Amino acid sequence: MAIISFIVEIERVNEILSELGGRLRAARIERNDTMEVFAQRLGVSVGTVRAMERGAPTVQVGAWLNALWILNQLDTITHVLEPKESLLERIRAQEKGRRQRASRRPP
């Protein structure tokens, strides 16, 4: 049963990579960049750009991040794996930011 679950998860990863590749291709074409020009800007080969657009899982994450930077989309990924703030931490942060009143005791 665990093997079937693993295969389904791998298929989902491949679907996501394929979707991202299609979006990358559309963004490149919208910029009117050929594969050659885009590859030069990324500092990779045309084959790497082709692999990215196909959704190949072997492309280095650095190439993807460079592509996002070139397309002015790098901020879209900066929150991935960001530490989650607990409810208690949020409450403490709110209380810390509140202005406190001065004591009413005479000086």
Side-chain angles (χ1 to χ4, degrees):
M1 191 69 160
I3 293 174
I4 293 172
S5 176
F6 184 69
I7 291 171
V8 170
E9 289 176 21
I10 289 175
E11 288 176 7
R12 180 65 184 133
V13 168
N14 289 334
E15 288 172 10
I16 291 169
L17 284 170
S18 183
E19 288 174 21
L20 287 173
R23 291 178 194 168
L24 179 66
R25 182 176 189 276
R28 176 184 58 79
I29 290 171
E30 185 177 312
R31 289 174 49 100
N32 204 26
D33 282 351
T34 63
M35 278 191 168
E36 291 81 11
V37 168
F38 198 69
Q40 282 180 333
R41 288 185 180 158
L42 281 175
V44 299
S45 69
V46 172
T48 298
V49 172
R50 190 174 291 116
M52 291 170 78
E53 292 184 358
R54 275 194 336 259
T58 55
V59 177
Q60 293 183 1
V61 71
W64 275 103
L65 292 175
N66 287 337
L68 290 172
W69 180 78
I70 287 171
L71 297 170
N72 200 27
Q73 296 288 321
L74 191 57
D75 289 340
T76 62
I77 198 165
T78 57
H79 298 291
V80 172
L81 297 177
E82 197 171 63
K84 302 289 182 193
E85 186 178 42
S86 73
L87 182 57
L88 182 60
E89 288 169 335
R90 274 192 243 152
I91 291 170
R92 285 182 180 157
Q94 286 176 348
E95 288 177 355
K96 192 175 191 179
R98 286 189 188 150
R99 189 172 168 195
Q100 298 204 357
R101 297 181 76 163
S103 170
R104 294 187 183 213
R105 285 188 264 158

